[in-house]
Structure formats: structure tokens, C-alpha cells
Amino acid sequence: MSIFERLAAWIPGQWEKVIITAVLIGLAFLVSNLWTRYLARMEISAEKRRMQLVWVRNVIWFVAMLIIVSVWASTIAGFALSLAAVAGAILIVSKELVMCIHGYFYATLVQPYKIGDVIEFNQLRGRVVDIDMFATTLVELDKAGQRTGKVAEFPNGLLLTHPLVNASPNGAFALHAIRIPMPERFSHDLDGIEAAALAAADHATAAWQEEAMTHFRKASEENFIALPSGKTKVSWDFSDPEHLVLVIRVACPIEQRAKVEQAVFRDTWRALSPEPPTLSANR
């Protein structure tokens, strides 16, 4: 018996549905590839291109799967009673798979994050670059917000059991806390340290300070949440009395957090450190 005869015996009277399913899958692949090529020719940023690619691709496959399920609905209903006996075993075996699909629907409907957001999840920190039915892909970032060159993934099922922090829920601007340990020799002049830090932070964020404050005020009104104003703020972490830490909170564009942090640190340290002694030319 040939392979085609075996398939015919295995799926009697279902060849039309098999052909329709194969055509739908082929069309989904074709449309996805055409959309990818179309986006490659568009003059838009890589982040927007990635966002549109993932969104349209997921819509295409969702529609294709919905049609396939509709085509096989009568067959599925016919097997429903026979499958009921093993449904419990299948559910136990495929628990993780089912949780991943549920997690995907949670991420799609609730939208705790989207493409381009920076999130912290289960000891991972990175920018979201892809969300499919089974996993979310991140470009890993270090504590300063710089790319490490690594890519991380986590199953969507973990979204149902682990807390998630979205570091960029308010759009283009984010609040960033810069922590600068202070040596003991500076502890006698806390007011001078705060003044130097505020001056350094205001200088580093002057280009967008007003825009950031307007942004956070508008986000508060739209989301009915009392968000911080975005104004630069200085405070102290004295949880360890022997090691004071200056905390400077600034509002800045998400992609410039590392640059702002370095500028604030350098300017603050220059203001606090004495000028190095100059060597005499005729020593």
C-alpha cells in the first residue's frame, strides 16, 4: 500500500479539508514573507518596522488558525466524545504549552508590554523585540541601559505566575535613578553635594526637561494615575550609614539613560573634587 493510499485510509473523505488547510498555511507563509519584504523597503525606524512586522504576522496566523479550526469544526466535534477520555492526560502532558498560549492571549489583550518596551522579568532585563504565541524575545540590557549583545527569551506561560516590571510604560520618556556612592570625606557638606548634583542633572536634561514634564502630566491625565512630575529630584540612601549613596532622579528619553547617567556622574564628581595640583615647569 502506497503512502497516499495509507493517508486516504487514515483520513477518509477529508481530502478537501486537508487541501484547504495546506493552502491556508501556504498563504499565511506567503503573505508574511511579502509583508516582510514590503517593510524592508519602507523608510521607517527599525523599531517601528519590527513592531509592524510582529503585529501583522500575529494577525495573519491568528486568522489562518481561526479559519482552519472552522474548516475542521465538524470533524473536531465528531471526535469530541472519544477525546474526552484522554483529555485529562493530554492537558497534564501539554500543561506548559497551554500556559504559553494563555500567556500569549494575556499579553495580547492586557498588553503589559509591547514591542520596544524595556521590561524586567524573572531576573531578565531588556528591550522587547518579538512576541509570538509561545515566547517573548528580549535584547538584553545592563543596569545602565546599554545593550550587552545577548538575546534572551522566556515562555509566555511565565507571565501567569511571575511579576513583570515595565520600565517604559509612559512612552518616549522614563524616570531614571542615578546612584552615586559618596566617599566619607564629602559627608560634611551634604548641601554642596546636592547643589552640584542638581546642577549636573539640569545641565544634562536641559534639552528636554520641559517636554518631559509635559509628557508625564499628560500621561497622568490620560491614565488617571498620579505619576511623578518629571522634575529632577535628589535624595539620599542611608540604609548603610557607613556608605552614603546619592540618588538623582531624572526624566530622560529611554535610549539616552546611559548617556545621561555618565554625564551627571562626571559633572557632579568634577564639581566636588578639588582641582589637581599643577606641576611647575621649572621644577
Side-chain angles (χ1 to χ4, degrees):
M1 182 180 293
S2 66
I3 186 171
F4 294 105
E5 292 174 343
R6 292 177 182 177
L7 287 174
W10 182 53
I11 316 177
Q14 305 291 340
W15 279 106
E16 296 84 357
K17 296 180 180 179
V18 172
I19 293 173
I20 292 174
T21 301
V23 170
L24 285 172
I25 294 175
L27 284 175
F29 274 113
L30 177 62
V31 175
S32 296
N33 290 334
L34 290 176
W35 179 249
T36 301
R37 294 182 180 180
Y38 172 73
L39 286 177
R41 295 195 298 267
M42 293 181 63
E43 296 182 357
I44 57 177
S45 65
E47 182 176 333
K48 290 184 178 180
R49 184 181 293 114
R50 186 70 183 176
M51 186 181 301
Q52 294 186 21
L53 172 63
V54 172
W55 185 82
V56 173
R57 184 195 62 191
N58 289 342
V59 169
I60 291 171
W61 281 106
F62 178 79
V63 173
M65 292 300 296
L66 187 63
I67 297 175
I68 290 173
V69 170
S70 300
V71 169
W72 289 92
S74 59
T75 304
I76 295 173
F79 281 105
L81 294 177
S82 60
L83 290 176
V86 295
I90 294 176
L91 182 60
I92 293 175
V93 172
S94 60
K95 176 183 176 182
E96 288 76 12
L97 179 62
V98 173
M99 288 185 65
C100 285
I101 296 176
H102 286 174
Y104 170 74
F105 283 116
Y106 167 76
T108 302
L109 298 176
V110 180
Q111 290 189 334
Y113 57 85
K114 59 183 182 298
I115 301 298
D117 282 356
V118 175
I119 65 173
E120 299 175 10
F121 181 75
N122 199 26
Q123 299 182 347
L124 295 174
R125 178 183 176 86
R127 186 180 298 276
V128 180
V129 295
D130 194 7
I131 308 170
D132 59 30
M133 189 166 289
F134 302 106
T136 295
T137 304
L138 309 176
V139 172
E140 191 179 54
L141 303 176
D142 59 17
K143 293 183 178 180
Q146 301 185 76
R147 297 184 181 185
T148 64
K150 301 177 183 179
V151 175
E153 291 187 359
F154 62 84
N156 291 332
L158 294 179
L159 292 171
L160 305 177
T161 57
H162 290 72
L164 179 143
V165 176
N166 190 334
S168 52
N170 301 310
F173 291 94
L175 293 173
H176 182 50
I178 305 169
R179 299 175 62 86
I180 305 178
M182 282 294 146
E184 186 178 355
R185 68 179 186 271
F186 292 147
S187 61
H188 66 281
D189 188 14
L190 299 184
D191 292 336
I193 295 174
E194 293 180 3
L198 282 173
D202 289 340
H203 180 265
T205 61
W208 58 75
Q209 185 66 40
E210 292 298 328
E211 183 181 356
M213 294 178 65
T214 302
H215 173 84
F216 281 104
R217 183 168 59 253
K218 183 178 179 182
S220 298
E221 295 173 353
E222 292 178 349
N223 298 318
F224 304 103
I225 300 175
L227 296 173
S229 65
K231 187 177 180 180
T232 302
K233 183 178 179 180
V234 173
S235 59
W236 291 95
D237 179 358
F238 47 86
S239 55
D240 184 355
E242 296 182 358
H243 298 88
L244 289 178
V245 178
L246 177 67
V247 182
I248 311 165
R249 191 195 69 187
V250 297
C252 62
I254 297 173
E255 66 278 4
Q256 295 194 38
R257 286 179 299 176
K259 181 180 178 181
V260 170
E261 180 172 315
Q262 294 296 316
V264 172
F265 172 77
R266 292 169 66 91
D267 289 348
T268 302
W269 207 254
R270 287 196 190 100
L272 297 177
S273 300
E275 292 293 331
T278 57
L279 296 177
S280 174
N282 299 320
R283 184 174 178 179

